[in-house]
Amino acid sequence: MSIRLHDFALSGHAHRVRLFLSLLGLPFETVPVNMLKGEHKSEPFLALNAFGQVPVLEDGDVILSDSNAINIYLALKHDPSRQWWPESPVQIARVQRWLSVAAGQLAQGAARARWICLTGGTPDQTVIDTAVQLLRVMDQHLSGQRFLASEQHPTVADIALYSYTVRAPEGGMSLEAYPHVRRWLSELESLPGFVPMPSTQPFKKPT
């Protein structure tokens, strides 16, 4: 088994890669990294990713970090149909737009709120406002389009936005007011090979 994924179960970034590997039907070995205990800042892990972030993918001699970069690599290497990472300049731009959103508004909003709650804090209003604004934009966008970057099929853009969106309620953001977002989440969850994003509920911060 050549693919190894350094993974923290509660990380949405790591889940993006775990989910995409499963959707592609690729076997892989999971190497757990306990971020709540600081293992992502250990010397052995920093040798793989100097930024101290999960996930990290090892594919033979290739070592990659950043979930979106990893998923683009996997799509280009293992999806000859080019469904997940398209070929046309316009389609690529549409996907990249949402990857930027995943690294920006999603990370600063719903993802940050969830992590703050997981580690025992309370999100401030700026974080909440960022999360709510993105949910509104996504819901409006998805009211006229089946997936984020394509009408016909999901792309890596959908994978990038799924994990933290579905767990937004764990950061205090209900999805009740966003029917098109909820429909989109259900569509992704019906894909063959789908694996769910774990809930934080069974976990507690170490004391």
Side-chain angles (χ1 to χ4, degrees), residues 108-192:
Q108 296 159 13
R112 180 164 177 74
R114 178 177 172 273
W115 181 256
I116 291 170
C117 290
L118 174 62
T119 53
T122 301
D124 63 32
Q125 194 60 45
T126 299
V127 172
I128 294 171
D129 289 346
T130 300
V132 169
Q133 181 187 33
L134 177 55
L135 285 169
R136 288 173 178 166
V137 170
M138 288 176 65
D139 200 65
Q140 176 61 36
H141 179 74
L142 290 165
S143 70
Q145 187 163 300
R146 188 177 173 196
F147 298 104
L148 290 174
S150 170
E151 172 59 33
Q152 290 76 27
H153 54 73
T155 66
V156 294
D158 299 282
I159 303 302
L161 274 290
Y162 172 83
S163 305
Y164 287 120
T165 301
V166 77
R167 292 302 181 200
E170 295 179 352
M173 269 63 67
S174 171
L175 298 178
E176 278 301 308
Y178 311 105
H180 304 293
V181 168
R182 288 186 281 110
R183 185 271 307 159
W184 167 74
L185 292 171
S186 295
E187 288 226 39
L188 296 176
E189 290 162 1
S190 69
L191 295 174

Side-chain angles (χ1 to χ4, degrees), residues 33 35 39-42 45-46 48-54 56:
V33 179
M35 293 180 67
E39 291 178 3
H40 57 306
K41 301 300 183 183
S42 67
F45 188 81
L46 290 173
L48 295 173
N49 181 5
F51 289 106
Q53 299 168 334
V54 295
V56 172

Side-chain angles (χ1 to χ4, degrees), residues 7 19-20 24 41 50 57 73 91 106 126 150 197 202:
D7 183 8
L19 171 58
F20 196 41
L24 291 172
K41 301 300 183 183
L57 185 88
Y73 165 80
Q91 289 176 317
L106 183 68
T126 299
S150 170
M197 171 68 185

